[in-house]
């Protein structure tokens, strides 16, 4: 039994960042984690392992498609999936042990086991009871289920199983054209799998700027992924080695099916609150299962919640920001998160990134805006590396020129977006970005050109 200022339940990007900041602000802090490794879904079975596999499969694809064009001759590489998975695991291990090191450095106690809130200011882990003035719930999310689909993590897999396949499937059906479906679908398509994505809506990536979604769809189709849009999956029948996915084409009102060796269920994630004892201590919940909060504070004094377990986008960096803000709030400072400037990235090729309002949102709000667009075909650096596909679109207020959003598809989009995030944090205008000197030749010049296009025009288009 130990007494703390703060106990954080969950060691994912929200929880561990919150723990480190609490300790840095002078609070006696512990973090409870049950999976046996820190880093949560993101580091263990999400963002980081998928990025390792995306990198490996992209390199393989590059070697097959572009090396000879650059005069790089020789035998084409073959895939050893076991080795690729070992590489992925080494990336995970390096990162999770890195957090353990950071905990030691910052004097955060790492309590291993599943935590339950057993009373006001009390967290029980196994047989041990710990007390804390403040408790932060940072328990994240888990893959959502779909009626008629039973996930066995062998033939019918969630993202967790898709990150650990033991052989490259011949045919894969992905249910859901969201972020997970497209990233994991891309990995296996590059490795030679025939991938078909079945999506309920008539477009991919719900919520994304429509022009971006169309461009991404076109590009993924060119890479060999197949799409069945406007199709509701009604069930999956699986044997030990194969599965049949049944779906209904919504507009036609007809049934159809697809055969696959692997089916990936990627239809979203649900907040994870199981076993926390929230009902017993009277913590209020949202209708869709999230912990209800106001400024991250639940209705129970001294209990906070952050990340995927509360409302808002299920993104690691949103959880991190909330972790920092809660630590500051508990320490008596003014915690703040700017929910209007949270970027989103899809790590496909080309990469996709967005921040702020989309054109669809602006139209819905009846706001007058202008569009500055620039295609990567006009960017010398992009063309030199076979990455001329895609564009940058900056949306600015028609009267004030203030940047309202940015949506791009192209090389390093996930890195480039942040100059607009900084600009938006400072309330910058498109002209501010356009007048900022950008080194040549860089991909970033495309951002400036899009900003120029909001004014007197881009130079290279
Ligand atoms: P998602 O919510 O992004 O997409 C799920 C898709 O499944 C939707 O397009 C939906 O219309 C479709 N769907 C639902 N039921 C269906 C049915 N019966 N038949 C056919 N289609 C159906 O969910 P996803 O991709 O599973 O991701 C979960 C969360 O993880 C998201 O919040 C995402 O933002 C986050 N994530 C973020 C990443 C990133 O930032 N790069 C990477 C991976 C996940």
């Amino acid at each position: 039994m130990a007494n703390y200022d703060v106990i954080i339940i969950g060691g994912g990007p929200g929880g561990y960042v919150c723990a480190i900041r609490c300790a840095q602000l002078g609070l006696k802090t512990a973090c409870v984690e049950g999976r046996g490794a820190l880093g949560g879904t993101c580091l263990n079975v999400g963002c980081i392992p998928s990025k390792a596999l995306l990198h490996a499969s992209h390199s393989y694809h590059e070697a097959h498609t572009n090396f000879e064009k650059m005069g790089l001759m020789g035998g084409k590489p073959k895939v050893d999936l076991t080795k690729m998975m070992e590489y992925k695991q080494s990336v995970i291990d390096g990162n999770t042990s890195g957090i353990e090191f950071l905990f030691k450095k910052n004097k955060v106690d790492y309590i291993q086991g599943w935590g339950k809130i057993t009373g006001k200011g009390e967290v029980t882990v196994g047989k041990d009871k710990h007390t804390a003035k403040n408790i932060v719930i940072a328990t994240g999310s888990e893959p959502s289920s779909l009626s008629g689909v039973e996930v066995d993590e062998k033939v019918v897999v969630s993202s967790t199983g898709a990150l650990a396949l033991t052989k490259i499937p011949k045919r894969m059906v992905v249910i859901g054209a969201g972020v997970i479906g497209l990233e994991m679908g891309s990995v296996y398509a590059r490795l030679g799998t025939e991938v078909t994505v079945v999506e309920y809506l008539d477009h991919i990536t719900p919520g994304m700027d429509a022009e971006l979604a169309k461009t991404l769809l076109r590009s993924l189709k060119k890479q060999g992924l197949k799409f069945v849009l406007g199709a509701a999956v009604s069930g999956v029948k699986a044997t030990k080695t194969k599965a049949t996915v049944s779906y209904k084409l919504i507009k036609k009102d007809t049934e159809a099916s697809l055969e696959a060796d692997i089916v990936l269920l990627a239809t979203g994630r649900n907040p994870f609150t199981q076993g926390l004892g929230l009902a017993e201590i009277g913590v209020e919940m949202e209708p869709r299962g999230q912990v209800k909060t106001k400024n991250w504070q639940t209705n129970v004094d001294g209990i906070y919640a952050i990340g995927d377990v509360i409302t808002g986008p299920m993104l690691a960096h949103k959880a991190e920001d909330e972790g920092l803000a809660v630590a500051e709030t508990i320490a008596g400072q003014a915690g703040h998160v700017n929910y209007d400037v949270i970027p989103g990235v899809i790590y496909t090729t080309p990469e996709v990134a967005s921040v702020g309002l989309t054109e669809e949102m602006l139209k819905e709000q009846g706001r007058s805006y202008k569009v500055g667009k620039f295609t990567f075909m006009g960017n010398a650096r992009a063309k030199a590396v076979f990455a001329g596909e895609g564009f940058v679109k900056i949306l600015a207020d028609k009267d004030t020129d203030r940047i309202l959003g940015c949506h791009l598809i192209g090389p390093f989009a996930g890195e480039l977006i942040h100059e607009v995030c900084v600009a938006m944090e400072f309330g910058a205008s498109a002209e501010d970005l356009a007048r900022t000197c950008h080194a040549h030749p860089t991909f970033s010049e495309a951002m400036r050109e899009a900003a120029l296009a909001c004014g007197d025009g881009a130079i290279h288009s």
Side-chain angles (χ1 to χ4, degrees):
M1 157 123 187
N3 300 313
Y4 293 95
D5 291 316
V6 192
I7 293 180
I8 294 124
I9 307 178
Y16 85 75
V17 166
C18 182
I20 291 171
R21 180 56 103 227
C22 283
Q24 286 172 340
L25 294 174
L27 301 164
K28 187 168 160 48
T29 307
C31 182
V32 183
E33 172 55 63
R35 79 165 67 226
L38 292 166
T41 299
C42 173
L43 251 72
N44 291 283
V45 287
C47 328
I48 301 302
S50 62
K51 258 80 275 172
L53 293 185
L54 279 158
H55 175 66
S57 60
H58 177 66
S59 306
Y60 174 73
H61 189 253
E62 277 286 291
H64 280 259
T65 50
N66 288 329
F67 274 23
E68 281 189 9
K69 292 182 201 159
M70 294 184 284
L72 298 173
M73 314 310 279
K76 294 196 169 149
K78 292 193 183 78
V79 181
D80 180 334
L81 194 64
T82 310
K83 267 206 124 124
M84 196 181 281
M85 293 296 174
E86 281 167 13
Y87 148 69
K88 176 211 73 177
Q89 194 56 43
S90 71
V91 173
I92 296 171
D93 295 344
N95 279 292
T96 53
S97 58
I99 305 172
E100 280 193 47
F101 163 77
L102 291 173
F103 271 12
K104 282 193 190 121
K105 184 180 159 200
N106 288 285
K107 302 196 170 44
V108 173
D109 284 353
Y110 171 21
I111 302 172
Q112 298 201 34
W114 298 104
K116 179 173 181 177
I117 306 175
T118 39
K120 193 172 159 45
E122 185 183 87
V123 176
T124 301
V125 184
K127 287 184 188 134
D128 300 330
K129 284 189 190 312
H130 305 274
T131 58
K133 292 188 194 99
N134 302 281
I135 296 168
V136 182
I137 302 164
T139 46
S141 59
E142 58 181 350
S144 63
S145 55
L146 186 64
S147 115
V149 185
E150 202 176 311
V151 172
D152 60 15
E153 297 295 11
K154 288 189 176 74
V155 173
V156 185
V157 297
S158 69
S159 49
T160 304
L163 288 164
L165 296 186
T166 49
K167 68 175 198 236
I168 300 170
K170 233 172 137 276
R171 290 168 306 174
M172 179 184 237
V173 169
V174 175
I175 309 174
V179 194
I180 292 179
L182 299 185
E183 288 186 359
M184 292 315 299
S186 290
V187 166
Y188 288 102
R190 289 170 194 167
L191 298 181
T193 303
E194 195 184 291
V195 176
T196 306
V197 183
V198 184
E199 165 60 48
Y200 181 82
L201 301 170
D202 60 2
H203 60 272
I204 63 169
T205 53
M208 187 198 275
D209 181 277
E211 204 180 352
L212 222 57
K214 265 191 209 145
T215 310
L216 178 62
L217 177 64
R218 208 171 40 233
S219 179
L220 292 172
K221 279 184 179 170
K222 259 202 300 196
Q223 292 167 43
L225 282 91
K226 294 194 180 110
F227 288 85
V228 184
L229 300 177
V233 169
S234 47
V236 176
K237 276 213 174 82
T239 66
K240 275 188 180 152
T241 51
K242 291 217 173 331
T244 308
V245 179
S246 307
Y247 58 89
K248 180 178 170 178
L249 287 163
I250 299 161
K251 271 193 191 145
K252 288 188 188 159
D253 198 14
T254 52
E255 303 280 337
S257 66
L258 282 165
E259 303 283 313
D261 309 307
I262 294 288
V263 177
L264 165 60
L265 181 66
T267 51
R269 298 180 63 86
N270 288 332
F272 182 72
T273 54
Q274 214 184 315
L276 276 176
L278 299 187
E280 291 94 310
I281 52 162
V283 171
E284 277 181 33
M285 308 296 281
E286 297 282 357
R288 301 190 68 178
Q290 298 102 334
V291 177
K292 191 171 179 178
T293 57
K294 188 164 182 234
N295 293 330
W296 319 291
Q297 165 82 59
T298 69
N299 63 310
V300 178
D301 202 30
I303 301 184
Y304 298 80
I306 56 169
D308 285 8
V309 82
I310 67 170
T311 52
M314 287 184 168
L315 296 169
H317 44 285
K318 176 253 192 190
E320 285 181 43
D321 278 22
E322 290 175 339
L324 288 172
V326 161
E328 287 163 357
T329 305
I330 292 171
Q333 298 182 0
H336 174 71
V337 175
N338 182 358
Y339 287 100
D340 293 334
V341 186
I342 295 184
V345 179
I346 309 181
Y347 299 84
T348 44
T349 301
E351 207 161 270
V352 177
S354 277
V355 68
L357 299 171
T358 62
E359 279 202 67
E360 291 71 38
M361 290 169 174
L362 287 165
K363 281 180 192 146
E364 209 179 291
Q365 292 176 11
R367 289 180 74 166
S368 54
Y369 65 96
K370 52 188 172 175
V371 182
K373 235 178 114 178
F374 187 76
T375 130
F376 278 99
M377 276 314 279
N379 179 275
R381 177 109 190 258
K383 274 201 298 197
V385 300
F386 311 106
E389 195 181 358
F391 61 88
V392 182
K393 175 158 85 174
I394 291 180
L395 305 171
D397 187 284
K398 196 160 192 173
D399 303 318
T400 64
D401 195 36
R402 188 180 176 132
I403 300 172
L404 303 172
C406 177
H407 309 277
L408 67 146
I409 174 162
F412 300 103
E415 305 297 330
L416 298 180
I417 193 74
H418 294 101
E419 74 169 279
V420 176
C421 296
V422 174
M424 286 178 75
E425 280 290 343
F426 281 83
S429 63
E431 187 180 347
D432 288 325
L433 204 64
R435 288 192 183 278
T436 304
C437 184
H438 284 63
H440 176 74
T442 56
F443 303 111
S444 305
E445 286 175 289
M447 306 299 280
R448 183 196 202 175
E449 292 268 20
L452 280 165
C454 287
D456 294 332
I459 301 299
H460 295 91
S461 67

